[in-house]
Amino acid sequence: MKTIAKILGGLLVAIIALILFFAERDRPVEELIPLYANKDSKFMPIMGMKVHYRDEGVATDTLPLILLHGMSSSLNTWDNVALYLKRYKRVISLDLPGFALTGPSPENNYDFPYYSKFIDSFATRLKIKRFILVGNSMGGAITWNYALHNPSRLAKMVLIDAAGYPKKGESGSLGFKLASTPVINNLLLYVTPKSLVRKSLESIYADQSKVTDEQVERFHDIAIREGNRQVALQIFKGSFHGDYKRIKEIKTPTFVMWGAKDQLISVDNSAEFMKDIKGSTGVIFNVGHVPMEEIPFDVALSIYKFVR
């Protein structure tokens, strides 16, 4: 027993030393807005938050695109896709509640019903009656759950490497593995090294050379925005509980897009979505988990062909 106590004591000391050495303070959003908001950025007061979004392109478009990013990401994931699409469509990208410049929800509730309610409120504030949702990863799961929540308001949807089905033995990213590991994941509330951010980004790209220092800096900064680490931990501990068996109920016209080299969510899921959503079509690219970042022109063109 004494030996065990010594080991546990030593481990505790090591953990405390690690936190003291690597700990980083949360960054106030006021510090980050000058860095990551641009001339097209707007902030909407809604549901107790100031939601960061960009509303670009053809203002008269009656079926605008609303783009939803994935876990621990931001609207920047769509920057280059929006650059192409806004010539022909109204394109709205946003930092979802709990992430990036938008930050935590005062409701402290991050599940599919909450995000569906948020999308309804967000679209209503912009006076949009019907729209097209495009979602990547977690944003894809939010998208298909919204199709179940309010199908009459959703004209079409695009799922890009969307979450939803049970895991199929994917290797995943180092950051996501740590965030999903009990006890250890609590350290991420205080310790978020840039080296971990880089490793996680490299695992979601097929071409790792496309991961830049600028991206690493941005992902790191938005991760340690006040409150965001607590949200990420809450989600990784299981706040999302979607029923993938209900995907078969979806009638919304759907386009499924996937990266063949996705290590986070297997490309096999694309076939499951297309089997379960009757009439859906899709395409597979030779990239990783975020096709819109690796091959933005191809993704934009595929989206445009589907929605025009």
Side-chain angles (χ1 to χ4, degrees), residues 58-65 88-90 127-132 153 155:
V58 183
T60 56
D61 186 1
T62 56
L63 279 180
L65 297 165
Y88 315 103
K89 295 287 296 177
R90 183 181 177 187
K127 299 180 179 179
I128 299 171
K129 294 181 179 179
R130 296 184 78 224
F131 49 85
I132 299 164
R153 202 168 188 182

Side-chain angles (χ1 to χ4, degrees), residues 205-220:
Y205 275 71
D207 182 358
Q208 296 183 359
S209 68
K210 292 189 175 182
V211 176
T212 66
D213 292 342
E214 180 184 6
Q215 279 180 303
V216 172
E217 192 75 22
R218 184 179 75 243
F219 270 86
H220 174 263

Side-chain angles (χ1 to χ4, degrees), residues 61-83:
D61 186 1
T62 56
L63 279 180
L65 297 165
I66 299 179
L67 313 179
L68 307 181
H69 63 76
M71 182 72 187
S72 300
S73 189
S74 68
L75 57 73
N76 299 100
T77 196
W78 303 106
D79 282 353
N80 290 323
V81 167
L83 191 65

Side-chain angles (χ1 to χ4, degrees), residues 70-292:
M71 182 72 187
S72 300
S73 189
S74 68
L75 57 73
N76 299 100
T77 196
W78 303 106
D79 282 353
N80 290 323
V81 167
L83 191 65
Y84 294 119
L85 287 175
K86 68 183 182 181
R87 305 173 194 173
Y88 315 103
K89 295 287 296 177
R90 183 181 177 187
V91 181
I92 301 163
S93 55
L94 67 146
D95 291 341
L96 285 164
F99 302 98
L101 299 185
T102 295
S105 160
E107 295 183 32
N108 196 34
N109 182 19
Y110 305 96
D111 57 19
F112 293 122
Y114 171 79
Y115 281 108
S116 289
K117 181 176 73 171
F118 167 78
I119 291 168
D120 276 334
S121 299
F122 180 75
T124 297
R125 286 290 302 271
L126 290 175
K127 299 180 179 179
I128 299 171
K129 294 181 179 179
R130 296 184 78 224
F131 49 85
I132 299 164
L133 281 180
V134 181
N136 168 245
S137 194
M138 181 196 76
I142 292 171
T143 295
W144 65 256
N145 274 275
Y146 185 84
L148 293 167
H149 163 77
N150 196 354
S152 63
R153 202 168 188 182
L154 189 60
K156 294 183 178 182
M157 67 177 181
V158 179
L159 304 177
I160 304 178
D161 296 69
Y165 292 103
K167 287 287 187 180
K168 296 174 172 58
E170 296 93 339
S171 59
S173 75
L174 177 60
F176 282 18
K177 286 178 182 177
L178 291 176
S180 302
T181 304
V183 182
I184 291 176
N185 54 16
N186 289 295
L187 292 177
L188 298 180
L189 291 173
Y190 313 99
V191 179
T192 311
K194 290 181 183 178
S195 57
L196 175 61
V197 173
R198 179 176 290 277
K199 284 292 184 184
S200 296
L201 285 174
E202 287 175 347
S203 69
I204 66 173
Y205 275 71
D207 182 358
Q208 296 183 359
S209 68
K210 292 189 175 182
V211 176
T212 66
D213 292 342
E214 180 184 6
Q215 279 180 303
V216 172
E217 192 75 22
R218 184 179 75 243
F219 270 86
H220 174 263
D221 284 346
I222 63 174
I224 64 173
R225 183 251 197 242
E226 283 180 327
N228 283 358
R229 286 187 280 195
Q230 287 84 349
V231 174
L233 184 59
Q234 183 174 333
I235 291 174
F236 276 115
K237 286 184 174 181
S239 68
F240 279 112
H241 298 286
D243 185 359
Y244 71 92
K245 294 178 181 178
R246 292 195 63 202
I247 293 174
K248 294 179 180 179
E249 301 172 23
I250 295 172
K251 308 298 182 186
T252 303
T254 301
F255 188 74
V256 179
M257 197 180 305
W258 225 275
K261 297 181 178 179
D262 190 339
Q263 298 182 52
L264 268 68
I265 306 178
S266 170
V267 66
D268 294 343
N269 288 271
S270 62
E272 293 203 44
F273 274 113
M274 286 190 281
K275 179 187 69 176
D276 286 345
I277 303 175
K278 302 304 179 186
S280 59
T281 56
V283 64
I284 295 174
F285 295 111
N286 193 36
V287 294
H289 185 63
V290 284
M292 63 283 185

